[in-house]
Amino acid sequence: MSLNHVRPWKNIYRRTSRQIMVGNVPVGGDAPIAVQTMTNTDTADVAATVAQVQAAAEAGADIVRVSAPDAAATTALREIVRESPVPIVADIHFHYKRAIEAAEAGAACLRINPGNIGDEKRVKEVIRAAKDHGCSIRIGVNAGSLERHLLEQYGEPCPDAMVASALEHIRILEDNDFREYKVSVKASDVFLTAAAYQALADATDCPLHLGVTEAGGLVSGTIKSAIGLGNLLWMGIGDTIRVSLSADPVEEVKVGYEILKSLGLRHRGVNIISCPSCARQGFDVIKTVEALEKRLEHVKTPMSLSIIGCVVNGPGEALMTDVGFTGGGAGAGMVYLAGKQSHKMTNDQMIDHIVEQVEKKAAEIEAAEAASAEAAE
């Protein structure tokens, strides 16, 4: 059994929301928090888009969104949906007919921005298409594209204006007997984003899609997203997340999982606990961790690994991880298994040995889970 378990003092009590389906992925309720990303290819290029979708899915994406700006994109969408291993969300801006075409092409969800899709009559036509083709809808409110009348009323993008926009469009959906929807209220400002989501969480029981929009590059965007999304998730708010980075969509998925793993909300793959290294290190910690991150990408089983350079914190961290290595002296260190000292290993053989131990532990965890599932049937 993995040592990567939730302790009582680490519990996060999630906001109670109703559940919807995005294709075969449940969102909200007691479902795991779904991780999303978005392709950045030309959607009309089916091969390139499908390749990016598949790469994101392999990294752990539960749902992938693709932009549908024109008829060429919605025509390509049919084949993309057919070849995708995960549900596809069609991102719609400006032209409501693209939403209808996307629904007809098999999109699992339609993401519409209320501020720029048109009047209520057009939104009703999109709702009808979603009903006819079994799509859910995401109401995507962005601080940068609020409706003109709300900007005039509130003077600038603010939490109240964003929530008002969301509630207006929730009313339209519900007046048309449509409840398979989730909502986002995104901004590039962390404070504005967090305040809007907190207010919306109090105003509705629908699932919430979290995101800090246009967060930035890989490093700056990761930090901004970790602060914004992390605080909301820690408060129990959020049913699905998308980390918006000016980077490869696979990186968005990885960061999303790291945020969830850091809060104990979802686990996938090896959680590496490592020190920043210092003059006490018994081996090159930084290069070792870089190598292990690459070598262990194929391991999807949730488990923990500690890589600590010296005996100051190494033994203590190893007590709480499935596999651990603590640097010693004379070119060797100590291997820990299930929190206990196991055997010494030389530094030059350590990386290969740790990979072997992690793979072995992952197989044991998977076998135990399979046996437990079989016994429960």
Side-chain angles (χ1 to χ4, degrees), residues 168-211:
E168 281 186 15
H169 290 275
I170 284 174
R171 176 190 59 76
I172 296 172
L173 296 186
E174 299 226 344
D175 284 352
N176 285 272
D177 194 30
F178 190 89
R179 287 177 58 78
E180 286 292 304
Y181 64 86
K182 52 195 170 86
V183 182
S184 63
V185 281
K186 297 184 180 183
S188 58
D189 179 90
V190 170
F191 293 97
L192 177 53
T193 299
Y197 274 111
Q198 288 175 47
L200 185 61
D202 289 336
T204 177
D205 69 344
C206 74
L208 298 182
H209 169 117
L210 298 190

Coordinates of all heavy atoms in Angstrom, one line a residue, residues 168-211:
E168 N -26.6 36.0 -15.4 CA -27.5 36.4 -16.5 C -27.6 35.2 -17.5 O -28.7 34.8 -17.9 CB -27.0 37.6 -17.2 CG -27.3 38.9 -16.5 CD -26.9 40.1 -17.4 OE1 -26.7 39.9 -18.6 OE2 -26.9 41.2 -16.8
H169 N -26.5 34.6 -17.8 CA -26.4 33.5 -18.7 C -26.9 32.2 -18.2 O -27.4 31.3 -18.9 CB -25.1 33.5 -19.4 CG -24.9 34.6 -20.3 ND1 -25.4 34.7 -21.6 CD2 -24.4 35.9 -20.1 CE1 -25.1 35.9 -22.1 NE2 -24.5 36.6 -21.2
I170 N -26.7 32.0 -16.9 CA -27.2 30.8 -16.2 C -28.8 30.9 -16.3 O -29.4 29.9 -16.5 CB -26.8 30.8 -14.7 CG1 -25.3 30.3 -14.6 CG2 -27.7 29.9 -13.9 CD1 -24.8 30.4 -13.2
R171 N -29.3 32.1 -16.1 CA -30.8 32.3 -16.2 C -31.3 31.9 -17.5 O -32.3 31.2 -17.7 CB -31.1 33.7 -15.9 CG -32.6 34.0 -16.0 CD -32.9 35.5 -16.0 NE -32.2 36.3 -17.0 CZ -32.6 36.3 -18.3 NH1 -33.6 35.6 -18.7 NH2 -31.9 37.0 -19.2
I172 N -30.6 32.3 -18.6 CA -31.0 31.9 -20.0 C -31.0 30.4 -20.1 O -32.0 29.8 -20.7 CB -30.1 32.6 -21.0 CG1 -30.2 34.1 -21.0 CG2 -30.4 32.1 -22.4 CD1 -29.2 34.8 -21.8
L173 N -30.0 29.8 -19.7 CA -29.9 28.3 -19.8 C -31.0 27.6 -19.0 O -31.7 26.7 -19.5 CB -28.5 27.8 -19.3 CG -27.3 28.2 -20.1 CD1 -26.1 27.5 -19.6 CD2 -27.4 27.9 -21.6
E174 N -31.2 28.1 -17.8 CA -32.2 27.4 -17.0 C -33.6 27.8 -17.4 O -34.5 26.9 -17.3 CB -32.0 27.9 -15.5 CG -30.7 27.4 -15.0 CD -30.8 26.8 -13.6 OE1 -31.8 26.9 -12.9 OE2 -29.8 26.1 -13.2
D175 N -33.9 29.0 -18.0 CA -35.2 29.3 -18.5 C -35.5 28.4 -19.7 O -36.7 28.3 -20.1 CB -35.2 30.8 -19.0 CG -35.3 31.7 -17.8 OD1 -35.5 31.3 -16.6 OD2 -35.2 33.0 -18.0
N176 N -34.5 27.9 -20.4 CA -34.7 27.0 -21.5 C -34.5 25.5 -21.1 O -34.2 24.7 -21.9 CB -33.7 27.3 -22.6 CG -34.1 28.6 -23.4 OD1 -34.8 28.5 -24.3 ND2 -33.6 29.7 -22.9
D177 N -34.7 25.3 -19.8 CA -34.6 23.9 -19.2 C -33.3 23.2 -19.5 O -33.3 22.0 -19.9 CB -35.8 23.1 -19.8 CG -36.1 21.8 -19.0 OD1 -35.8 21.8 -17.8 OD2 -36.5 20.9 -19.6
F178 N -32.2 23.9 -19.4 CA -30.9 23.3 -19.6 C -30.1 23.5 -18.4 O -29.8 24.6 -17.9 CB -30.2 24.0 -20.8 CG -29.0 23.2 -21.3 CD1 -29.1 22.2 -22.2 CD2 -27.7 23.5 -20.8 CE1 -27.9 21.5 -22.7 CE2 -26.6 22.9 -21.2 CZ -26.7 21.9 -22.1
R179 N -29.6 22.3 -17.8 CA -28.8 22.4 -16.6 C -27.5 21.7 -16.7 O -26.7 21.6 -15.7 CB -29.6 21.8 -15.4 CG -30.8 22.7 -15.0 CD -31.6 22.0 -13.9 NE -30.9 21.7 -12.7 CZ -30.5 22.5 -11.8 NH1 -30.7 23.8 -11.9 NH2 -29.8 22.0 -10.7
E180 N -27.2 21.2 -17.9 CA -25.9 20.5 -18.1 C -24.8 21.6 -18.4 O -24.2 21.6 -19.5 CB -26.0 19.5 -19.2 CG -26.7 18.2 -18.8 CD -25.9 17.4 -17.8 OE1 -24.8 17.0 -18.1 OE2 -26.5 17.1 -16.7
Y181 N -24.5 22.4 -17.4 CA -23.6 23.5 -17.7 C -22.6 23.7 -16.5 O -22.9 23.3 -15.4 CB -24.3 24.8 -17.9 CG -25.1 25.3 -16.8 CD1 -24.5 26.1 -15.8 CD2 -26.5 25.1 -16.7 CE1 -25.3 26.6 -14.7 CE2 -27.2 25.5 -15.6 CZ -26.6 26.3 -14.6 OH -27.3 26.7 -13.5
K182 N -21.5 24.2 -16.8 CA -20.5 24.6 -15.8 C -20.1 26.1 -16.1 O -20.4 26.5 -17.2 CB -19.3 23.7 -15.8 CG -18.6 23.5 -17.1 CD -17.6 22.3 -17.0 CE -17.1 21.8 -18.3 NZ -15.9 22.6 -18.8
V183 N -19.4 26.7 -15.2 CA -19.2 28.1 -15.4 C -17.7 28.5 -15.0 O -17.2 27.9 -14.0 CB -20.1 29.0 -14.5 CG1 -19.9 30.5 -14.8 CG2 -21.6 28.7 -14.9
S184 N -17.1 29.4 -15.7 CA -15.9 29.9 -15.3 C -16.0 31.5 -15.3 O -16.7 32.1 -16.1 CB -14.7 29.5 -16.3 OG -15.0 30.0 -17.6
V185 N -15.2 32.1 -14.4 CA -15.1 33.5 -14.3 C -13.6 33.9 -14.2 O -13.1 34.1 -13.1 CB -15.9 34.1 -13.1 CG1 -17.4 34.2 -13.5 CG2 -15.7 33.3 -11.9
K186 N -13.0 34.0 -15.3 CA -11.5 34.1 -15.4 C -11.1 35.5 -15.6 O -11.7 36.3 -16.3 CB -10.9 33.2 -16.5 CG -11.2 31.7 -16.4 CD -10.5 31.0 -17.5 CE -10.7 29.5 -17.4 NZ -10.0 28.8 -18.5
A187 N -9.9 35.8 -15.0 CA -9.2 37.1 -15.2 C -7.7 36.8 -15.2 O -7.3 35.8 -14.6 CB -9.6 38.1 -14.2
S188 N -6.9 37.7 -15.7 CA -5.5 37.5 -15.6 C -4.9 38.0 -14.3 O -3.8 37.7 -13.9 CB -4.8 38.3 -16.8 OG -5.1 39.7 -16.7
D189 N -5.7 38.7 -13.5 CA -5.4 39.2 -12.2 C -5.8 38.1 -11.2 O -7.0 37.7 -11.1 CB -6.1 40.5 -11.9 CG -5.7 41.1 -10.5 OD1 -4.7 41.8 -10.4 OD2 -6.5 40.7 -9.6
V190 N -4.9 37.7 -10.3 CA -5.2 36.6 -9.4 C -6.3 37.1 -8.4 O -7.2 36.3 -8.0 CB -3.9 36.2 -8.6 CG1 -4.2 35.3 -7.4 CG2 -2.9 35.5 -9.6
F191 N -6.2 38.3 -7.9 CA -7.1 38.8 -6.9 C -8.5 38.8 -7.5 O -9.5 38.4 -6.8 CB -6.7 40.1 -6.3 CG -5.5 40.1 -5.5 CD1 -4.2 40.4 -6.1 CD2 -5.5 39.8 -4.2 CE1 -3.1 40.4 -5.4 CE2 -4.3 39.7 -3.5 CZ -3.1 40.1 -4.1
L192 N -8.7 39.4 -8.7 CA -9.9 39.5 -9.3 C -10.5 38.1 -9.6 O -11.7 37.8 -9.4 CB -9.8 40.2 -10.6 CG -11.0 40.4 -11.5 CD1 -12.2 41.0 -10.7 CD2 -10.7 41.3 -12.7
T193 N -9.7 37.2 -10.1 CA -10.1 35.8 -10.3 C -10.7 35.2 -9.1 O -11.8 34.6 -9.0 CB -9.0 35.0 -10.9 OG1 -8.5 35.5 -12.1 CG2 -9.4 33.5 -11.1
A194 N -9.9 35.2 -8.0 CA -10.3 34.5 -6.7 C -11.6 35.1 -6.2 O -12.4 34.4 -5.7 CB -9.1 34.6 -5.7
A195 N -11.7 36.4 -6.2 CA -12.9 37.1 -5.6 C -14.1 36.7 -6.4 O -15.2 36.5 -5.8 CB -12.7 38.6 -5.6
A196 N -14.0 36.7 -7.7 CA -15.1 36.3 -8.6 C -15.6 34.9 -8.3 O -16.8 34.6 -8.2 CB -14.8 36.5 -10.1
Y197 N -14.6 34.0 -8.3 CA -15.0 32.6 -8.0 C -15.6 32.4 -6.6 O -16.6 31.6 -6.5 CB -13.8 31.7 -8.2 CG -13.5 31.2 -9.6 CD1 -12.4 31.7 -10.3 CD2 -14.4 30.4 -10.3 CE1 -12.2 31.3 -11.6 CE2 -14.1 30.0 -11.6 CZ -13.0 30.4 -12.2 OH -12.8 30.1 -13.5
Q198 N -15.1 33.1 -5.6 CA -15.7 32.9 -4.3 C -17.1 33.4 -4.3 O -18.0 32.7 -3.7 CB -14.9 33.7 -3.3 CG -13.5 33.1 -3.0 CD -12.7 34.0 -2.1 OE1 -13.1 34.5 -1.1 NE2 -11.4 34.2 -2.5
A199 N -17.4 34.5 -4.9 CA -18.8 35.0 -5.0 C -19.7 34.1 -5.8 O -20.8 33.9 -5.4 CB -18.8 36.5 -5.6
L200 N -19.2 33.6 -6.9 CA -20.0 32.7 -7.7 C -20.3 31.4 -7.0 O -21.4 30.9 -7.1 CB -19.3 32.4 -9.1 CG -20.1 31.6 -10.1 CD1 -21.3 32.4 -10.5 CD2 -19.2 31.4 -11.3
A201 N -19.3 30.9 -6.3 CA -19.5 29.7 -5.5 C -20.6 29.8 -4.5 O -21.3 28.8 -4.2 CB -18.2 29.3 -4.8
D202 N -20.8 31.0 -4.0 CA -21.9 31.2 -3.0 C -23.2 31.4 -3.7 O -24.3 31.2 -3.1 CB -21.6 32.5 -2.2 CG -20.5 32.3 -1.2 OD1 -20.2 31.1 -0.8 OD2 -19.9 33.3 -0.8
A203 N -23.2 31.7 -5.0 CA -24.4 32.1 -5.7 C -25.1 31.0 -6.5 O -26.2 31.0 -6.9 CB -24.2 33.3 -6.7
T204 N -24.3 29.9 -6.7 CA -24.9 28.8 -7.5 C -24.3 27.5 -7.1 O -23.2 27.4 -6.5 CB -24.5 29.0 -9.0 OG1 -25.0 27.9 -9.8 CG2 -23.0 29.2 -9.3
D205 N -25.0 26.4 -7.4 CA -24.4 25.0 -7.1 C -23.9 24.3 -8.3 O -23.5 23.2 -8.3 CB -25.5 24.2 -6.5 CG -26.6 23.8 -7.5 OD1 -26.7 24.4 -8.5 OD2 -27.4 22.8 -7.2
C206 N -23.7 25.1 -9.4 CA -23.2 24.4 -10.7 C -21.7 24.1 -10.5 O -21.0 24.8 -9.7 CB -23.5 25.3 -11.9 SG -22.4 26.7 -12.0
P207 N -21.2 23.2 -11.3 CA -19.7 22.9 -11.3 C -19.0 24.2 -11.8 O -19.5 24.9 -12.6 CB -19.6 21.8 -12.3 CG -20.9 21.2 -12.5 CD -21.9 22.3 -12.2
L208 N -17.8 24.4 -11.2 CA -17.0 25.5 -11.6 C -15.7 25.1 -12.2 O -15.0 24.2 -11.7 CB -16.7 26.4 -10.3 CG -17.9 27.0 -9.6 CD1 -17.4 27.8 -8.5 CD2 -18.7 27.8 -10.6
H209 N -15.4 25.7 -13.4 CA -14.2 25.5 -14.1 C -13.2 26.6 -13.7 O -13.5 27.7 -14.0 CB -14.5 25.5 -15.6 CG -13.3 25.5 -16.5 ND1 -13.0 24.5 -17.4 CD2 -12.3 26.5 -16.7 CE1 -11.9 24.8 -18.1 NE2 -11.5 26.0 -17.6
L210 N -12.1 26.2 -13.1 CA -11.1 27.2 -12.6 C -10.0 27.5 -13.6 O -9.6 26.6 -14.3 CB -10.5 26.7 -11.3 CG -11.3 26.4 -10.1 CD1 -10.4 26.2 -8.9 CD2 -12.3 27.5 -9.8
G211 N -9.6 28.7 -13.6 CA -8.5 29.1 -14.4 C -8.1 30.6 -14.2 O -9.0 31.4 -13.9

